[in-house]
Every structure is written in C-alpha cells, then in structure tokens.
Amino acid sequence: MATTTRPDTRGEDLDELDLYTIPIHSSWFSWDDIHDTERVALREFFDGSSISRTPKIYKDYRDFIINRYREDASRRLTFTEVRKALVGDVSLLHKVFLFLEKWGLINFAAPPGRGAGGVGEGDDDDGGGARRSRVAVEDGAPVGVRVVAVPNSGRPMTLPTPAVGKHDGRKGSTAGQFRLPSLASYSDVFAGLMKQKGLVCGSCRGTCDESGCYEYTKGEFNICANCYNNGNCGENKSLDDFEFKEGKGNSASHAATWTEAETQLLLESILKHGDDWDLVAQDVKTKTKLDCILKLIELPFGEFMLGYTNRNGRDCNVDGNANNVSQVQSATSELPPETKTMEQANDQTEEIEPNQINDVLNEGPPLKKKRVASLSDGGSSLMKQVSLMSALVSPNIASAATESAVSAICNETFCPREIFYGSNSHVSNGSSVPAMNHLGRDIENGETEMKDEVPPAITDAQGPLPTEGHMPLQVRAATATALGVAAARAKLLADQEDREIEHLVASMIETQMKKVHDKIKYFEHLEHIMEKEYAEMDDLKGLVVSERINILQKALSAGISRWRDQFSLKPLTGS
Amino acid sequence: MPMKPLPSSSSRVPVKFKIPTADNLVPIRLDIEIDGQRYRDAFTWNPSDPDSEVVVFAKRTVKDLKLPPAFITQIAQSIQSQLADFRSYEGQDMFAGEKIVPIKLDMRVNHTLVRDQFLWDLNNFESDPEEFARTFCRDMDIQDPEVGPAIAFAIREQLYEIAIQNVTSARESRISKKGRRGFEYVPASKAGGISLDLVKYFGQKNSVVRKRKDWDAFEPIVDILSSEEVDALEVREKKNTR
C-alpha cells in the first residue's frame, strides 16, 4: 500500500517512499480516515439509507481506485477499468470516480484525456491510435532522473520551483520543476553589482567615473579628478606625482556600457565590414575602434569568429602568431547566429584531429594558438564546436562534461558573486591576452573536462570586464552547448543500447531453444525406456498366467475340485 | 460503526412510476415495414412533450429519410401507442425497493459490437444512462458516434422493462398480504430474483472488490467488425426476426 503523500516532498525521503503528487487543496486526504469533504460530497454512503452504501464500502471503493491508479501513475486511469472490478451501481461508482479525479487524488500526473463528447464532434481525423499514445510534455526532469549538483555525489539538488499555487485541472507537473531563470531579470538583479566596478578614489572614497582619475606613479593609489583639482591627494603625496589616466575612466565607462544592442550592432557590422575597424566603429557609434576590437576578443568565441572567416575554405594549418592584434586584423569574421549542420563539423573533424592529438600538454604559445585556431575551424557556430568536441572525446567524458555543464548552469544562478569576486584579480588592463591564455589553457585541460572550460572561460572572459552586459548571451551559449552535446551523445548511446538489447534477446532465444530441444530428447528417451518396460511387463504377465494355469492343472489332476483358500480347504481335507 | 436502523417504511412505500433515471425519457422502438421498405429506429422520447410533436416528428423523419408518405401515419401511431403504454403505468405505484440489477449489453451498431454487463441501482433516481454511455465511448475510444446513444437506449429499455415489472409486482404485493416480512427479502423473491442479494454482496464480511478472475467477466468487450462480418450478421438477424 502506498505510503502517505505530501504535495511538496523533496529529496530527503526520495529513496524510501513512493511519492505521488496531489494538489495542496487535497491535503486533507488520509488513508485511514474519511474526511468531511468526502462525507459531504458523497453523502449517499453516510446516511445509512442502504445496506449497499456504507462508509466501509465507500472506503473500499476509494482505496481500490486510488491504488489502481498508483500502479502506474503516468497513465490515465479510466472509469471503465475500475468499474469492472467493483460491485455496485455504476452511476454511484462514477460519482466516486469523478470526485477523486476532481480532487486530484487520481489522474493527477496523467496526461489529459479526450474531452467529453469528443466522439461526436468530427475529430475522426485525429487518428484513433494517436489518442492512446499521446505525447506527454512534462515540466522538469523526467521521472527517474535526478538532477545533482555535483556528478556522482548522489545528492539531489533543490531547484527553484515556482510557487505551488492552484493546480486545478493542471496536469503534467511533477515535483521538482527545473526552470532556468529568465536572463533579463538576472541582469536586473545584478546590474547594481555591475555598476560598482569602478575604481575607488583613495581620498574621497567616491568612485572614479567618467571624469577620469589620477594614478599615483610611485605606488598603488588613485584619486578622482575632483580630488586632484581640490588638492586632496592623501598624506605624503604630491600632486605632481599623479598621472592622469583618462583611458581607464573612459574605458571603464565604455566597458560598462556595452549593452546587448551594442553588441548586436557590433557583430552585425563585423559581418558586413569584416575587419575594417573604422567602418565598424562608425556603425557602433558609441565605441571607439579599439573598444570594438577589444570587445570582440572579449566575447567568448570572438577570436574564433575572426579565425574562422580568415580560414574559410582553407586548410587549418596555422602558423601561430603570438600577436593577437595582428591576428585580429588579419581576419575577417562571419558570425552565423544559427547552428550549422553537423556534416560540416565532421568534415573538419578529420583535419583537426591530428592536430589535436599531437598537441598534448604543450604550453608554448604558438601551439596554444594552433590549438585554439584549429578549434575555431570547427566553425564559429556553437553547435559545430560542440559536435566537434564531442566527436573527439569518449562518451564517458562527454557525459561527465554534460553533467557538469548542467550543474554549472544551475550553479551560475546561485553563486554568480563568487564568479565576479573571484575573477576580480583579473582586472589588469583589460587586454585580451590573459583572456586568451585562460581560454587556451582551459582547452588543453579540457581533454578530460570539456564543458568546464566553457563556463570558466566565460567567467574568465567576464573577469577582465565583468561590467559588460553580455552575460545573457554567454549563458545561452553555455546552455546551447550543453544541450547539443547531451543530444549527440544520447543518440549514440541509445543506438548502442539498441544493438546490445537485440544481441541479448537473440542469445536468450537461442538458449531457450536449446533447452526445449534437450527436453524433447530426454522425453523421447524416456518413452523408449517405457516401451521396453511395457514389453517386459507383458512377458512377465504371460509367464505368471501360464504358471497359474500349470498349478491349476496339477491341482485338478490331483483331485482337488476347486481352488480355495486355506480355511475352506480344511473341511475338504477333514482336518 | 453500527448501521442506523434502515428506514424500512420509506422503501416499502411505493413510489410513483417513473424511469429511474435523472431524465424521465421513454425508450421508443420502431420497426415498420411497408411495401418491402423497412424502417427501424430506436430513440428516447420525452413524455412531457405535447402529442402534436409526434406527428411533426414523423413527418420530418419521413422527409429526411425519403420514405414514402405512408410511413408517417404508421410512425406516429407506433410512437403514440408506446407513449400510451408508458402513461398507463405512470399513475400507478412502483415498488422502488432496494434493487441493484445487472444490466447487460449485447448489441451491434454499424461496425461496432458491444458486450458488457454491469450493475445499476434502480433506486438511484439520479442515474444518467447518457453520461454512462459517454464515459464508455470515451474510455473505450469508440469512433462511431452512433454507439453512445445506442448504449444509452439499451440501458433505458432494460430499466423500463424492469420498472414495469416493478409495477406489476407492487400490484400483486398489494393484493397479497406481505406486511410482516422484512423488506430485503420481498423484492428478491417478487422480482424473479434478477436483482442482487444485497446482504451477500454488501454485507460486513464481504469485500466489494471483485476477485481478479471475475474482472474479465465484467469488462466491456468492444469489437470492430469488417464489412463482410457485418453483412453476415445482418442476414442472420433478418432471418431471426422474420
């Protein structure tokens, strides 16, 4: 018998209890008792009007129906299935059934059935067979799959669930709903955080904003323009020692205002103009040429975009160029926002594979560039990258990476502060080289942990300029990547499983056949023996009969008239 | 919990005759043959409709089905006589004792064959055969829209017949002096034993859940026939009715 149900149960009891979801407004229900709600709604059972309607009988009906439903909670229980097993007026049973269904005690997690009266309403074109096998769209992780924070830890995650409000009539929601928070509100929440990333003036503790700040040449100290003008430069320092650093303020202010619209504009203009940065800068009116270049490199796959267009249609052998800037200048980029087909990716896989295999743990800059560049040949599209990487690594690695990616995405929503604060140290001069180094190094390490590189890479890229507003883009990129890998590997695994199953079934059938054959042979053997025995018995029987005849003959000839037992023999013999 | 003393008096008080369903509808069956043309139909009629409706209905039916006009009078007459029968019972008393009867379905509607049996409470004046038929068709995924009403009609017909029997039994029991006997036993013996022995089924010691081996007996069987089978059955039916 199923144990108690609680609407909002979570992971602690997951292992011990069978949990079924019922709506909150049915929480009055208990197995051992009949609640007033039931007494009121089904009062025929409780007014003693008939021997066929008693509370015990009602409870039996109710328990049977609910148990029957819970034998398979995902399929819709029909009234016809229960009424065949219950004795009683079908109208009354129907009433009980409808009552239970209305309160969500049955068919709560089942797909919605056909509407009443659907038979006569011209939906014959639906296809009768399709109705039974309706595709159930489920919210959240499917039954039997647990989303864990850390792979192999077994500790289920508590994911944010929407407020469990009224579930009237809403079917298909299972416990533990997985929802990615909307990215717009995320940036709303953390917009304040982003804005604080200016430099703080040493003397007046205000942030150094657009007016520029002055850096102390003999040490780490900044003061804002106001303080400089006012002469507040702190103890033991003289005004002359301060150098004006407008670029920082400007770059900070510029960097702070890379909105999504501007990013979009940038990418589009790069698409149009290639590496003609003057034109690009014109298009993106609010940013200078250098800013545009820097921004492009900051974008997680910006470098790849440039590299890709440079090598479009060519071989992937690249002589590593240590100078990022020249590489940027030499490349034109093309940014396909949509995913490319897998075939293209696979074509390039063969070329790139030898490169990848050769570059094992090599730290030299040229090789790093090569590695990066060869990956970029996989295409600027995310899906291509994903397919490429997944083809190169084994299924275990890919699945491990997928898990960590999924959890990383979850984690990202909970601990972005760590990301921000953790990468504060990377705020150096906003140049792209550190970012690229991180990316490159991560890719090398990524032989074993493919997906972790993407979030760290993203976060590292975010590090130098965390004030940029392209996080939604990156989160989406991460999501798409993760999904792509998961899908590709899942399909391959499924095919493999199919084959294995076929193989196993075939061997099973073989064994059974052999068993049957052996049995048949055995039985034939037995039959043979029995026949022989039967023949022998026949002979024995004949022998016995003939012996008896002999004895009788002898007795007759000796004068004894009839063969009797000993008692009757006595009077004859006279003793 | 101990059962309240059952109000034996109320169940013995006869109730005015009516079809024991939520809507008081009369099942009407027509089977008319004129000049080799045969019209068969079965439907429910609301007896509170004015009689003028009968003729209107007959005329419209003939027009829709393009039957010869001779059918109009025949149809109207048949309906009216059946309604008159119904009304003749209406004034009388019916024994509405505790009665749960088995209803059996064994019918063919176009290409669908339906066989089923289930229990129906005659005392439940809120039962609805149409709703039962709707649920049935929905659960069994029946495509033919004519099956539902046919099922409802079959149920009504059986209920009607049992109700008529009740009237006659009530009449008889009024004549004979049965006053002292317990109420449970009267309907069982009077009505020919077709209703359930409630004590046996609903008593304290027994479970209302059937044994699993009985489930198949009470499970509905719906068969879709092919056209040849339908033709063969129709020929056989015609032979039987002739």
Side-chain angles (χ1 to χ4, degrees):
Chain A
M1 174 136 125
T3 49
T4 44
T5 63
R6 299 189 294 279
D8 286 335
T9 21
R10 279 286 167 265
E12 318 87 52
D13 302 325
L14 211 58
D15 298 320
E16 293 106 36
L17 303 177
D18 277 333
L19 294 178
Y20 301 95
T21 314
I22 61 172
I24 272 191
H25 56 258
S26 300
S27 48
W28 47 261
F29 173 75
S30 104
W31 281 107
D32 308 316
D33 198 11
I34 298 175
H35 193 261
D36 280 336
T37 319
E38 301 169 280
R39 286 174 194 274
V40 165
L42 297 162
R43 61 181 78 235
E44 300 96 339
F45 288 100
F46 302 100
D47 54 12
S49 54
S50 157
I51 188 176
S52 69
R53 295 193 288 270
T54 64
K56 171 185 177 294
I57 287 173
Y58 163 70
K59 190 168 183 306
D60 287 340
Y61 287 160
R62 175 193 81 179
D63 294 346
F64 177 81
I65 294 176
I66 296 184
N67 278 330
R68 189 114 175 94
Y69 166 65
R70 289 180 181 180
E71 283 170 17
D72 184 0
S74 61
R75 69 114 174 79
R76 186 175 191 78
L77 184 68
T78 59
F79 172 62
T80 307
E81 279 177 60
V82 295
R83 64 112 159 141
K84 74 182 179 193
L86 293 173
V87 175
D89 176 35
V90 288
S91 305
L92 190 61
L93 285 173
H94 196 44
K95 203 165 167 194
V96 174
F97 185 85
L98 288 176
F99 171 77
L100 293 174
E101 195 171 33
K102 169 185 149 210
W103 282 95
L105 294 164
I106 58 176
N107 285 340
F108 187 57
R114 285 200 287 142
V119 169
E121 278 163 14
D123 51 353
D124 295 346
D125 333 25
D126 266 353
R131 264 186 273 237
R132 286 281 179 198
S133 55
R134 189 181 298 266
V135 172
V137 175
E138 289 182 341
D139 290 324
V143 173
V145 172
R146 246 190 299 165
V147 179
V148 292
V150 176
N152 298 325
S153 76
R155 182 174 46 91
M157 282 188 65
T158 54
L159 299 167
T161 54
V164 181
K166 286 204 194 300
H167 280 255
D168 290 25
R170 205 185 328 149
K171 319 250 163 79
S173 46
T174 55
Q177 308 214 357
F178 177 85
R179 292 215 198 282
L180 203 59
S182 66
L183 301 173
S185 57
Y186 179 79
S187 55
D188 283 344
V189 169
F190 292 102
L193 186 68
M194 289 192 264
K195 288 213 182 73
Q196 289 167 23
K197 286 301 166 237
L199 294 171
V200 177
C201 170
S203 49
C204 71
R205 299 270 165 241
T207 54
C208 302
D209 41 14
E210 277 105 34
S211 50
C213 57
Y214 291 82
E215 199 181 31
Y216 191 46
T217 47
K218 295 183 193 151
E220 283 287 322
F221 200 71
N222 297 322
I223 57 170
C224 62
N226 288 339
C227 295
Y228 186 78
N229 294 335
N230 296 341
N232 297 344
C233 46
E235 317 88 64
N236 306 332
K237 297 184 184 67
S238 68
L239 274 177
D240 303 323
D241 292 328
F242 279 87
E243 271 180 24
F244 184 62
K245 279 260 188 258
E246 167 139 25
K248 248 218 197 104
N250 274 349
S251 70
S253 74
H254 281 292
T257 56
W258 266 107
T259 63
E260 261 210 65
E262 282 176 337
T263 321
Q264 182 99 358
L265 210 55
L266 167 73
L267 296 172
E268 279 173 10
S269 53
I270 289 175
L271 203 68
K272 246 190 308 182
H273 306 297
D275 60 351
D276 193 345
W277 296 107
D278 295 319
L279 289 176
V280 170
Q282 265 180 29
D283 272 351
V284 185
K285 300 173 193 65
T286 51
K287 299 287 180 285
T288 66
K289 194 165 67 170
L290 205 58
D291 281 329
C292 296
I293 300 171
L294 290 174
K295 170 66 181 166
L296 186 67
I297 294 171
E298 297 308 334
L299 287 177
F301 298 103
E303 184 74 4
F304 301 150
M305 278 191 283
L306 302 172
Y308 174 70
T309 52
N310 199 23
R311 289 163 193 75
N312 214 357
R314 283 197 310 174
D315 222 4
C316 70
N317 292 323
V318 174
D319 290 333
N321 195 338
N323 195 344
N324 274 350
V325 177
S326 65
Q327 196 177 33
V328 162
Q329 285 171 347
S330 65
T332 61
S333 75
E334 171 199 320
L335 181 69
E338 314 305 323
T339 63
K340 294 255 166 66
T341 62
M342 296 288 235
E343 299 146 21
Q344 278 179 301
N346 287 337
D347 285 351
Q348 309 210 4
T349 308
E350 285 100 35
E351 295 174 85
I352 291 157
E353 209 163 11
N355 282 339
Q356 288 274 0
I357 289 168
N358 291 335
D359 299 340
V360 177
L361 297 179
N362 230 322
E363 297 269 347
L367 284 172
K368 245 198 281 186
K369 288 293 167 288
K370 194 189 220 168
R371 177 76 61 85
V372 164
S374 58
L375 266 183
S376 83
D377 267 86
S380 51
S381 78
L382 295 167
M383 294 312 288
K384 254 203 223 173
Q385 303 275 352
V386 162
S387 64
L388 189 60
M389 293 185 213
S390 68
L392 292 171
V393 299
S394 77
N396 297 339
I397 295 167
S399 59
T402 320
E403 278 180 19
S404 55
V406 170
S407 50
I409 292 171
C410 301
N411 279 337
E412 209 169 36
T413 69
F414 282 108
C415 48
R417 286 177 190 269
E418 295 167 273
I419 296 170
F420 276 109
Y421 287 135
S423 37
N424 250 350
S425 51
H426 296 309
V427 179
S428 47
N429 56 359
S431 92
S432 58
V433 174
M436 285 318 298
N437 284 341
H438 288 299
L439 200 57
R441 204 180 315 125
D442 286 334
I443 290 170
E444 284 173 2
N445 297 335
E447 279 295 317
T448 50
E449 290 248 74
M450 182 187 70
K451 284 333 279 174
D452 280 327
E453 89 193 318
V454 176
I458 290 174
T459 58
D460 285 339
Q462 282 177 348
L465 295 168
T467 57
E468 305 190 1
H470 56 264
M471 277 190 307
L473 216 59
Q474 288 165 342
V475 174
R476 286 192 203 125
T479 323
T481 320
L483 288 174
V485 174
R489 284 339 263 179
K491 176 160 189 331
L492 288 176
L493 282 174
D495 286 338
Q496 192 183 14
E497 272 203 43
D498 272 336
R499 287 194 293 271
E500 276 210 40
I501 289 175
E502 278 177 28
H503 180 63
L504 287 173
V505 168
S507 52
M508 259 194 342
I509 293 176
E510 241 188 76
T511 332
Q512 297 277 36
M513 290 260 297
K514 266 201 237 151
K515 204 165 80 168
V516 170
H517 274 307
D518 286 337
K519 276 198 180 161
I520 291 178
K521 267 197 247 159
Y522 180 65
F523 280 123
E524 278 176 1
H525 190 56
L526 268 183
E527 223 187 291
H528 192 55
I529 293 177
M530 297 262 289
E531 277 172 8
K532 283 217 187 114
E533 273 206 40
Y534 184 70
E536 278 180 31
M537 298 280 270
D538 260 343
D539 288 337
L540 267 181
K541 193 168 149 190
L543 273 175
V544 169
V545 168
S546 54
E547 265 202 47
R548 195 172 169 182
I549 292 175
N550 282 340
I551 293 176
L552 278 176
Q553 271 185 343
K554 285 197 188 135
L556 273 173
S557 58
I560 300 174
S561 56
R562 271 188 295 181
W563 186 254
R564 291 240 185 258
D565 59 11
Q566 281 184 321
F567 293 98
S568 52
L569 222 44
K570 283 200 180 137
L572 281 172
T573 53
S575 54
Chain B
M1 97 179 184
M3 283 209 295
K4 289 203 311 227
L6 295 160
S8 51
S9 53
S10 66
S11 60
R12 281 186 46 188
V13 165
V15 173
K16 289 295 172 212
F17 174 83
K18 70 180 280 239
I19 303 271
T21 58
D23 328 296
N24 195 23
L25 301 173
V26 184
I28 305 265
R29 214 178 249 287
L30 296 174
D31 188 357
I32 305 170
E33 185 158 4
I34 301 179
D35 294 337
Q37 256 192 319
R38 193 150 183 215
Y39 167 59
R40 293 181 73 192
D41 200 359
F43 49 87
T44 47
W45 187 268
N46 188 345
S48 48
D49 275 349
D51 281 341
S52 50
E53 281 295 316
V54 177
V55 180
V56 173
F57 170 82
K59 284 199 182 132
R60 210 175 314 130
T61 308
V62 162
K63 187 164 146 218
D64 287 340
L65 298 175
K66 300 190 178 47
L67 299 167
F71 272 87
I72 300 182
T73 38
Q74 292 267 356
I75 291 174
Q77 263 178 17
S78 177
I79 297 177
Q80 272 160 353
S81 68
Q82 293 183 55
L83 277 177
D85 278 341
F86 175 77
R87 294 211 176 97
S88 71
Y89 290 111
E90 228 174 357
Q92 306 189 22
D93 299 329
M94 176 172 83
F95 207 163
E98 192 60 57
K99 216 151 159 192
I100 297 190
V101 296
I103 303 265
K104 289 199 168 63
L105 296 177
D106 186 3
M107 39 190 263
R108 178 185 69 83
V109 178
N110 298 338
H111 285 264
T112 313
L113 201 67
V114 174
R115 265 201 299 273
D116 195 6
Q117 59 168 332
F118 44 86
L119 300 168
W120 200 276
D121 181 3
L122 279 186
N123 214 19
N124 183 1
F125 287 96
E126 284 159 15
S127 57
D128 192 355
E130 276 76 26
E131 190 190 345
F132 178 81
R134 267 200 303 274
T135 313
F136 185 92
C137 293
R138 194 172 64 220
D139 289 345
M140 306 303 292
D141 220 6
I142 293 180
Q143 317 284 354
D144 191 345
E146 293 183 29
V147 175
I151 291 177
F153 181 83
I155 296 173
R156 269 190 198 279
E157 230 183 356
Q158 293 184 47
L159 292 176
Y160 183 42
E161 288 190 22
I162 295 172
I164 292 177
Q165 282 177 13
N166 267 343
V167 172
T168 49
S169 74
R171 222 184 291 149
E172 286 166 19
S173 60
R174 239 186 297 130
I175 296 169
S176 75
K177 292 209 175 114
K178 55 139 178 59
R180 266 142 235 125
R181 259 183 273 162
F183 78 101
E184 294 156 64
Y185 300 92
V186 173
S189 57
K190 278 289 177 200
I194 57 166
S195 66
L196 285 188
D197 185 351
L198 294 174
V199 179
K200 176 173 154 211
Y201 281 91
F202 295 103
Q204 297 277 1
K205 296 209 186 73
N206 300 326
S207 165
V208 287
V209 181
R210 285 199 185 105
K211 300 194 177 55
R212 231 170 234 268
K213 60 177 168 34
D214 292 335
W215 287 10
D216 288 331
F218 286 88
E219 191 169 9
I221 299 172
V222 174
D223 267 335
I224 312 284
L225 306 170
S226 66
S227 303
E228 302 95 32
E229 288 168 323
V230 169
D231 292 335
L233 278 175
E234 272 180 2
V235 167
R236 219 179 303 150
E237 276 165 22
K238 281 213 184 88
K239 265 196 248 152
N240 286 344
T241 51
R242 291 269 166 83

